[in-house]
Amino acid sequence: MKRTGVFVCHCGINIAGTVDVKKVSEELSKHSGVVHAEDYIYACSDPGQNIIIDAIKEKKLDNVVIACCSPNLHETTFRNAAKTAGLNEFQCEIANIREQCSWVHKDMEKATDKAIKLTRSAVQRVRRNEPLEPISVPVTRRALVIGGGIAGIQSALDLANTGFEVILVEREPSIGGHMIQLSETFPTLDCSQCIMTPKMVEVSKHPKIKLMTYSEVQEISGYVGNFKVKILKKPTYVYADKCTLCDECTKVCPVAVPDEFNLGLTARRAIYIPFPQAIPATFTLDIKNCPGLLPIACGKCTDVCEPGAIDYDMKPEIVEEEVGAIIVATGYDLYEKELLTEYGYGKYPDVLDGLQFERLLSASGPTMGKVLRPSDHKEPKEVVFIQCAGSRDPELHCAYCSKICCMYTAKHAMLYKHHVPDGQAYIFYIDIRSGGKDYEEFVQRAVEDDGVLYLRGKVSKVFEDKGKIKVWGVDTLAGKDIEIDADMVVLATAMRPSKGADELARKLKIAMDKDGFLAEAHPKLKPLESVTSGMFLAGAAQAPKDIPEAVAQASGAAGKAISILSQERLYHAPTVAEVNVNLCTGCGMCVQVCPYDSLSLKDGKVEVNEVLCEGCGTCSATCLRAAIQVKNMTPLQVNEMIKAALGG
Amino acid sequence: MAEEFEPKIVAFLCKWCSSAGSDLAGVSRMQYPPNVIPITVMCSGSVSPLYIFSAFNKGADGVLVSGCHPGDCHYIKGNFYARRRIALVKKLLEYVGLEPERFQMSWISAAEGVKYTKVIKDFVQELKPLGPQKKLRRTQ
Amino acid sequence: MVNLEELKKEASQILKEGKVKYIIGFQRGSNGLLPVPAFIKNPKDVEKLVWDPTCVYNLTLFLQDEKRKKTKEKEPDERPVGIVVKGCDSRAINVLLQEEFIKRDDVYVLGVSCENTGVLDEKKLAKKLKGKKAKKVEFGANDDFVITTEDGNIKIAAQEVLAERCLECKAHFPVIYDVLIGEKTKRNVENPFKSLEKIESLPPEERWKFWKEQIEKCIRCYACRSVCPMCYCDECVADTINFVVTPDTSAEEKAQKIKWLEKSPVSSENFVYHFVRAIHLAGRCIDCGECERVCPLDIPVRFLNKKLEKEAKELFDYDVGFDPDKPSLVSSFKDDDPEDFIR
């Protein structure tokens, strides 16, 4: 018979105030196999731990149960104590009699009875725990960063500057993301391109960074420390090393399509460079819009390309890489035009979204920094900005707050006034959320120095009327209906997870939240980690955030990745699935349900890849033959725990 | 008057959401009846139908299975399998005439201490008028 | 119309060609109306084969023995086994394929059509004949059965004497086969779960009374388990009597056996057994009705399986035994599976 010790913690009066700890200890001492039971005021204190260690040694205990607070708090403490006394860490289990008992009940008798059952249940479990050692695996000391916006760039640079090799994958022809599209940035009004391009150049020149633009992650397998990644390199049909950027090709290309970089405010050719400072600095042939790769169909660009940089025969390529950690920085997109029709967005050319307005403000933009209406190129004298366009609207659109819109709208209005001093800017808002260093002061500047008119209320209708855009709204502070004959309307459109992020999340096996943003492992304590170990989140892919926050998270994620890559070996929890081959019939149902592909069939029996297994136990509930179970949480243990819980 | 009937309930809580939610209820000092003995499992997907049958067989007046909200599963999709499996078990138990109130499932996230409290309170309230579960309980 | 001669010819040919090891089919028994299984190796013996409405058994059960035998052989004969299957039985083949219990090459499927009718319920027939003894039952031409008694032939509309499950059948002809004998008939079944309505419509307490009465009768002879082609586990979790002990079985493993239920055949323990059986057959039971037919106490066990078949269909749009490449009911899910029962 195994010898069990039980230690009941008072936690001052936190437990002892509602649970009769003496009685718990007394009752447990009568439990079969329990050879030692005592209570102590603070089991987690040094003397408390010493009591446990001494008892293990003196009473030759095989296992111990500590009835105390939640295992999330002191499980490690007590397991380490058990280890010090010569036990395996799994020979120590916690009965949570504080969060799940003393703190939530008042009736001492009933709470004590429940604490006894909880502790007995833990005793029944620990007696059947196997001693296990962590599983150790070597680490591939390279990282993959997915997404080449500011977050991805920051993570890649931090990793590379620490000395680790980085593969930076970006699906567009150039890195830079949305930040490179911005004009100036709040609250300092730094020119976005001026602070972004040095980082982009640093990426392109960094010896430790392998930049893969126009590429997408296709497949991922493996586990923390050892991922295998297949990356699809889409053909650009242009050799970057041969291209001299002479721009002759775009002069002959007969195609004109909306330019993504200027959000459709201008057009581009089928062969194009996204913007002058693009990294890598080369042209890309957009096959979807090219009349045909056969010289018969067009072929004009190859004819004029003197260095012969254009190759119609370029094929997609699959590159395989091995990495130890992955940072996902896939960023955001704006809420789809089609879903936000109430403000005339997509219908009237002078109703713009925030990013389009950024391009109008930008010195390198389609109007060379002049604010002009897309419809007639006239200077707008009355501009209405509508905040929360698609955000904070659980009935029709996104329930969440897109967080950055209050600030950038203030910036937009301010910059508009700098461009058109005799114009008037109106902002419809629900609340102004300006938490952040110097943010509130910035909003005040817009109001006080630049005379931006803030109207608290919602816009009910936007429609075209005699060359103007009529905006009907309400000022709830004044209690008045408002009607503005605007020349331009700018929507602070909601931020959404970038298109395709859901598909990528499924490939990576990381979770998404209800809005499709990538889910962090813990909302407070693990904001950088995804639910899959070894994969970290950076930037707006996780939630709407502004540049400083995205950069901070990116550096944090890089730090987290470095904490993996700097190890020789990694350790993995050994509470993994095990197969009873005698009972396995090889039906493969467990293989189908395993979220981690850790199970496979070999010779008609299931095999566990212990490094991939996270021990969730879905396999064991699926198996009809009880042929697979998770170590230290076996059906036998659960059965005993149920018995104890019901007082049997 | 006889003492009020106090139902015995076994709750299988997934470690990452529902058990954490019950911890939050504790940290926030929310009060709920002490009738539930939680058993923390790794994932709601690991709750075998046998656990449920066995709990009723061992005299549980009610059984609760609680996991992460769909899409929030720490193991990505364990709760989806649980949802399907538990639906079948529930249909089966009700088909033979077990009171539907006795077997319940809930989604409780780590942030939903309030919801955990409510689920437990409601559960106990609904079980009290039913009296002890004698249908499936071992008689010997 | 199923031509028995065609079946015999096909059987004889595949045996002669050595395409199959042997053929599992039906032959006349020496006692009673029902046939017995035939295991035919010699082409000459194909003459014994029969196919008529008395062929109620699901012969795929014998694939279990075949598999066990094969795993023990050092140099097993890798040729397939020929097997005669009805529509329902063929769905069992699909489930066994789905669970990789057998491979497609392990069986040569001789599918026979139920000719728009099905198989016989012996008890219904006995009632109909009022003491007269049936010697032979054959498919008639007009969805009826031709019954030979000592007083000569009578025709009875098949609907009146069909097994309950045949009235709710989803596949009157095999859904998987190598050769098909007979026509691909399709009879419209309005409600494949009609028989459940009676129990389902009872108020809960009446339902409990009904099931308690039924399940209490169970003597745990496990005939329902033994006859089920899907109950092929080496060891049943509900009862460890068959626990496979090999030289590798450690003492610890033996100690790890869980007693989920007591062996004594009392209501509470019987319920656990029947729950486990039902839930383990969810998405796997193809309603061959054998469990109910063999029950010595006439417990309507089929209604437990049928109920879960219905739920699988209604909740998850899952049909059992039509696609061997689909994942099983409980090892798959849809994002929008119903969850109105969840708080």
Side-chain angles (χ1 to χ4, degrees):
Chain A
M1 189 81 160
K2 291 225 175 106
R3 299 166 62 82
T4 304
V6 175
F7 303 86
V8 186
C9 179
H10 300 198
C11 194
I13 58 158
N14 278 309
I15 294 171
T18 341
V19 168
D20 182 346
V21 285
K22 297 263 181 246
K23 186 165 179 210
V24 176
S25 149
E26 200 184 295
E27 282 301 313
L28 262 295
S29 67
K30 297 178 202 157
H31 193 90
S32 150
V34 175
V35 295
H36 179 88
E38 67 178 303
D39 56 281
Y40 188 71
I41 181 149
Y42 286 111
C44 61
S45 66
D46 261 10
Q49 291 183 50
N50 286 336
I51 286 176
I52 297 168
I53 294 168
D54 293 344
I56 293 174
K57 288 181 181 160
E58 280 165 26
K59 301 273 176 89
K60 296 194 170 56
L61 301 179
D62 294 308
N63 44 56
V64 291
V65 166
I66 325 293
C68 56
C69 54
S70 165
N72 290 334
L73 300 172
H74 276 301
E75 187 178 75
T76 318
T77 313
F78 293 122
R79 286 192 166 172
N80 282 336
K83 256 159 96 176
T84 312
L87 293 185
N88 180 278
E89 58 177 306
F90 290 96
Q91 280 153 340
C92 167
E93 284 290 346
I94 306 296
N96 180 352
I97 61 164
R98 195 178 74 176
E99 282 82 349
Q100 291 184 340
C101 189
S102 71
W103 274 352
V104 288
H105 307 312
K106 287 213 171 79
D107 183 322
M108 188 134 189
E109 198 184 323
K110 285 174 178 168
T112 305
D113 182 56
K114 177 171 167 180
I116 292 167
K117 285 174 179 166
L118 283 167
T119 313
R120 279 189 188 144
S121 174
V123 169
Q124 290 303 95
R125 178 179 180 192
V126 79
R127 299 174 66 76
R128 286 158 188 86
N129 267 0
E130 280 178 66
L132 299 171
E133 294 301 333
I135 299 162
S136 136
V137 282
V139 179
T140 308
R141 306 173 92 175
R142 308 168 78 215
L144 167 72
V145 177
I146 307 171
I150 181 59
I153 286 175
Q154 185 64 45
S155 291
L157 287 174
D158 284 354
L159 281 158
N161 289 334
T162 317
F164 295 105
E165 259 180 70
V166 182
I167 300 143
L168 177 58
V169 174
E170 166 60 50
R171 67 176 166 190
E172 300 298 332
S174 170
I175 54 170
H178 284 308
M179 185 172 160
I180 197 71
Q181 294 175 301
L182 307 182
S183 55
E184 276 100 46
T185 54
F186 61 80
T188 51
L189 299 186
D190 285 294
C191 148
S192 185
Q193 295 200 338
C194 312
I195 56 176
M196 183 65 166
T197 45
K199 286 198 178 275
M200 290 163 60
V201 173
E202 194 184 345
V203 166
S204 73
K205 304 278 183 232
H206 206 296
K208 291 277 187 186
I209 298 180
K210 179 174 173 186
L211 179 59
M212 293 180 70
T213 49
Y214 217 46
S215 301
E216 288 178 34
V217 170
Q218 208 174 37
E219 206 182 300
I220 280 218
S221 58
Y223 45 89
V224 53
N226 295 280
F227 295 106
K228 284 195 174 67
V229 194
K230 282 188 186 161
I231 303 161
L232 169 72
K233 232 173 131 41
K234 297 176 279 189
T236 59
Y237 303 100
V238 178
Y239 293 112
D241 49 348
K242 288 191 190 164
C243 174
T244 60
L245 298 171
C246 69
D247 209 13
E248 289 302 317
C249 50
T250 62
K251 291 176 190 157
V252 296
C253 179
V255 178
V257 289
D259 182 350
E260 295 88 353
F261 185 70
N262 284 329
L263 296 120
L265 294 172
T266 57
R268 64 160 172 85
R269 299 297 174 185
I271 189 159
Y272 71 109
I273 183 163
F275 50 95
Q277 309 94 317
I279 299 284
T282 182
F283 282 75
T284 298
L285 177 58
D286 160 19
I287 186 68
K288 262 190 248 126
N289 291 302
C290 176
L293 290 178
L294 294 172
I296 320 167
C298 176
K300 290 196 173 104
C301 54
T302 36
D303 295 344
V304 298
C305 185
E306 274 192 18
I310 302 173
D311 176 6
Y312 287 167
D313 294 328
M314 203 181 271
K315 293 277 178 294
E317 199 186 330
I318 304 253
V319 181
E320 289 190 32
E321 296 284 357
E322 290 184 10
V323 295
I326 296 173
I327 293 175
V328 191
T330 46
Y332 72 95
D333 273 324
L334 290 186
Y335 195 54
E336 291 87 337
K337 271 197 174 67
E338 304 77 55
L339 298 174
L340 194 66
T341 49
E342 57 258 49
Y343 300 121
Y345 182 40
K347 189 170 164 199
Y348 309 130
D350 297 330
V351 178
L352 304 177
D353 63 39
L355 275 178
Q356 287 175 320
F357 196 66
E358 291 285 345
R359 295 310 303 146
L360 283 189
L361 293 170
S362 171
S364 68
T367 52
M368 307 309 266
K370 291 200 186 94
V371 179
L372 300 175
R373 292 175 16 134
S375 61
D376 55 10
H377 292 269
K378 281 190 187 142
E379 198 173 64
K381 295 294 180 193
E382 307 257 307
V383 179
V384 172
F385 295 88
I386 302 175
Q387 291 196 175
C388 301
S391 304
R392 302 182 65 191
D393 189 348
E395 272 85 46
L396 295 173
H397 303 296
C398 311
Y400 55 85
C401 165
S402 290
K403 195 172 185 181
I404 64 167
C405 326
C406 287
M407 291 310 297
Y408 79 62
T409 304
K411 178 194 76 178
H412 282 170
M414 185 189 276
L415 290 174
Y416 163 71
K417 288 288 287 183
H418 295 176
H419 283 80
V420 187
D422 61 338
Q424 183 56 53
Y426 306 89
I427 299 180
F428 280 97
Y429 71 102
I430 307 178
D431 301 292
I432 300 172
R433 297 182 169 176
S434 54
K437 196 169 175 172
D438 291 335
Y439 286 11
E440 176 59 21
E441 295 90 322
F442 183 79
V443 174
Q444 288 310 321
R445 231 169 87 200
V447 177
E448 287 162 16
D449 298 358
D450 296 300
V452 172
L453 197 57
Y454 272 85
L455 299 164
R456 189 174 198 276
K458 283 195 129 181
V459 168
S460 61
K461 202 171 176 186
V462 175
F463 59 100
E464 220 167 33
D465 185 40
K466 295 173 200 143
K468 294 277 186 179
I469 302 170
K470 236 188 214 336
V471 179
W472 284 357
V474 62
D475 180 347
T476 53
L477 294 182
K480 279 193 305 193
D481 288 338
I482 303 246
E483 186 180 315
I484 300 169
D485 284 329
D487 298 310
M488 183 183 272
V489 171
V490 181
L491 305 177
T493 319
M495 277 170 115
R496 300 264 278 165
S498 113
K499 279 184 202 77
D502 50 345
E503 197 188 327
L504 180 70
R506 273 189 280 273
K507 281 179 190 161
L508 299 175
K509 300 191 178 74
I510 56 181
M512 288 171 284
D513 64 21
K514 61 184 191 319
D515 301 311
F517 289 103
L518 303 178
E520 62 279 10
H522 187 282
K524 295 185 197 79
L525 301 179
K526 291 186 173 181
L528 306 169
E529 291 92 331
S530 77
V531 293
T532 303
S533 49
M535 295 192 195
F536 305 99
L537 311 175
Q542 182 240 340
K545 47 176 77 77
D546 61 20
I547 296 166
E549 285 179 327
V551 171
Q553 196 187 15
S555 286
K560 284 282 171 190
I562 290 165
S563 72
I564 289 175
L565 301 182
S566 54
Q567 320 247 356
E568 287 286 338
R569 302 185 76 79
L570 282 180
Y571 295 92
H572 181 267
T575 42
V576 295
E578 61 179 342
V579 178
N580 183 338
V581 287
N582 285 335
L583 298 178
C584 177
T585 64
C587 73
M589 278 160 78
C590 56
V591 179
Q592 285 159 3
V593 299
C594 177
Y596 301 98
D597 296 333
S598 70
L599 303 174
S600 55
L601 282 174
K602 201 184 162 200
D603 300 329
K605 302 278 178 188
V606 164
E607 271 188 350
V608 183
N609 181 334
E610 295 198 335
V611 181
L612 288 180
C613 176
E614 292 279 335
C616 72
T618 301
C619 52
S620 107
T622 307
C623 182
L624 304 176
R625 322 169 210 290
I628 190 163
Q629 58 183 22
V630 174
K631 289 178 188 169
N632 292 352
M633 198 59 187
T634 62
L636 179 73
Q637 287 176 301
V638 176
N639 191 39
E640 295 295 330
M641 288 165 82
I642 298 172
K643 242 187 249 172
L646 289 165
Chain B
M1 205 184 121
E3 211 177 307
E4 195 184 13
F5 164 63
E6 291 293 349
K8 287 191 279 182
I9 302 169
V10 178
F12 297 98
L13 310 179
C14 82
K15 175 184 165 113
W16 304 96
C17 290
S18 298
S19 187
S22 84
D23 276 359
L24 179 62
V27 172
S28 320
R29 310 294 202 280
M30 293 165 188
Q31 297 292 309
Y32 56 83
N35 305 57
V36 175
I37 306 293
I39 293 179
T40 301
V41 293
M42 295 306 273
C43 178
S44 56
S46 76
V47 178
S48 158
L50 275 163
Y51 299 175
I52 298 150
F53 302 145
S54 169
F56 282 120
N57 178 266
K58 292 181 174 69
D61 298 308
V63 176
L64 173 74
V65 177
S66 188
C68 310
H69 287 269
D72 282 357
C73 179
H74 183 80
Y75 302 105
I76 305 148
K77 51 181 188 172
N79 55 355
F80 286 113
Y81 295 112
R83 182 172 65 183
R84 204 169 247 217
R85 205 171 359 249
I86 298 304
L88 291 167
V89 171
K90 191 159 169 58
K91 289 283 181 191
L92 180 63
L93 291 172
E94 291 173 20
Y95 179 58
V96 302
L98 187 76
E99 298 85 347
E101 295 84 357
R102 294 206 188 267
F103 179 46
Q104 311 220 354
M105 183 170 188
S106 60
W107 301 136
I108 297 170
S109 80
E112 290 177 329
V114 179
K115 184 168 178 191
Y116 181 78
T117 308
K118 183 171 172 8
V119 166
I120 301 301
K121 276 185 183 162
D122 291 351
F123 202 169
V124 174
Q125 271 317 307
E126 284 165 32
L127 289 187
K128 280 193 173 171
L130 296 181
Q133 184 275 121
K134 290 178 181 161
K135 290 176 178 170
L136 303 176
R137 154 200 242 152
R138 186 170 292 170
T139 39
Q140 298 148 315
Chain C
M1 200 65 186
V2 173
N3 187 337
L4 184 58
E5 292 314 310
E6 212 181 309
L7 176 65
K8 289 177 183 170
K9 201 177 113 199
E10 185 65 33
S12 156
Q13 196 178 335
I14 55 173
L15 281 172
K16 276 184 195 153
E17 286 172 6
K19 256 191 187 168
V20 293
K21 270 190 263 194
Y22 60 93
I23 290 170
I24 311 173
F26 301 95
Q27 66 183 346
R28 277 274 76 82
S30 50
N31 186 19
L33 183 63
L34 295 194
V36 295
F39 300 87
I40 296 174
K41 274 198 173 121
N42 192 328
K44 273 187 278 179
D45 292 338
V46 299
E47 280 311 314
K48 292 181 186 164
L49 284 175
V50 296
W51 168 241
D52 62 39
T54 65
C55 297
V56 294
Y57 316 130
N58 183 348
L59 298 176
T60 59
L61 171 67
F62 296 104
L63 294 175
Q64 293 179 15
D65 295 339
E66 166 59 25
K67 174 152 178 169
R68 293 213 174 94
K69 208 169 71 199
K70 204 164 146 184
T71 40
K72 278 182 206 144
E73 283 165 0
K74 275 203 183 115
E75 283 172 25
D77 184 344
E78 291 294 350
R79 286 178 300 166
V81 172
I83 183 161
V84 178
V85 296
K86 308 183 280 295
C88 46
D89 313 337
S90 77
R91 289 167 58 209
I93 299 249
N94 268 342
V95 176
L96 294 174
L97 285 171
Q98 187 180 25
E99 297 175 0
E100 302 192 39
F101 185 73
I102 55 169
K103 290 188 192 64
R104 185 64 186 88
D105 299 341
D106 291 340
V107 282
Y108 188 90
V109 183
L110 298 155
V112 288
S113 166
C114 284
E115 297 301 330
N116 234 3
T117 54
V119 294
L120 191 68
D121 183 321
E122 246 194 318
K123 286 171 199 153
K124 280 189 190 172
L125 180 68
K127 245 188 193 166
K128 220 52 209 160
L129 294 181
K130 295 185 183 115
K132 266 185 276 182
K133 232 178 157 185
K135 287 183 174 164
K136 207 163 113 187
V137 182
E138 287 168 302
F139 293 110
N142 308 309
D143 294 350
D144 54 3
F145 291 159
V146 181
I147 294 136
T148 313
T149 66
E150 50 255 50
D151 303 345
N153 287 358
I154 20 173
K155 281 187 182 173
I156 299 180
Q159 293 283 326
E160 292 176 33
V161 288
L162 272 184
E164 275 306 309
R165 63 188 158 101
C166 295
L167 295 169
E168 300 175 319
C169 177
K170 288 180 172 173
H172 307 103
F173 58 89
V175 293
I176 180 173
Y177 51 82
D178 293 293
V179 281
L180 178 65
I181 320 273
E183 277 170 62
K184 284 195 175 184
T185 51
K186 182 143 182 72
R187 190 179 71 213
N188 269 341
V189 175
E190 261 172 41
N191 179 0
F193 305 107
K194 190 154 178 44
S195 59
L196 290 176
E197 281 172 4
K198 217 174 113 191
I199 306 176
E200 283 179 333
S201 63
L202 292 175
E205 284 314 303
E206 293 290 309
R207 227 162 38 224
W208 166 249
K209 240 179 89 190
F210 169 81
W211 278 115
K212 163 129 172 119
E213 213 166 86
Q214 295 299 335
I215 299 297
E216 221 162 27
K217 292 194 291 189
C218 176
I219 52 168
R220 301 264 287 284
C221 68
Y222 299 126
C224 48
R225 186 174 76 190
S226 306
V227 81
C228 179
M230 302 309 160
C231 282
Y232 57 73
C233 297
D234 289 316
E235 181 194 313
C236 181
V237 291
D239 151 72
T240 54
I241 205 160
N242 303 320
F243 174 45
V244 268
V245 179
T246 69
D248 302 332
T249 313
S250 61
E252 205 181 331
E253 267 175 326
K254 287 178 198 163
Q256 292 275 323
K257 289 295 120 189
I258 314 163
K259 233 179 177 182
W260 291 109
L261 62 159
E262 296 295 328
K263 287 199 193 300
S264 48
V266 297
S267 165
S268 64
E269 311 309 296
N270 292 353
F271 263 109
V272 178
Y273 166 68
H274 286 282
F275 285 155
V276 172
R277 207 183 93 77
I279 212 84
H280 277 190
L281 285 168
R284 304 172 67 235
C285 170
I286 45 80
D287 197 14
C288 67
E290 285 290 90
C291 47
E292 186 163 316
R293 187 184 61 81
V294 298
C295 179
L297 291 132
D298 294 329
I299 300 170
V301 280
R302 173 179 166 254
F303 284 149
L304 288 173
N305 304 330
K306 192 79 187 164
K307 171 67 178 171
L308 291 181
E309 185 189 333
K310 178 181 172 187
E311 297 302 339
K313 178 69 190 166
E314 289 181 354
L315 298 175
F316 312 119
D317 194 26
Y318 188 91
D319 282 302
V320 185
F322 286 93
D323 184 357
D325 299 322
K326 241 170 82 169
S328 303
L329 174 67
V330 293
S331 61
S332 57
F333 66 85
K334 288 191 194 133
D335 287 346
D336 58 351
D337 275 350
E339 56 172 32
D340 46 356
F341 66 97
I342 300 174
R343 303 195 161 202

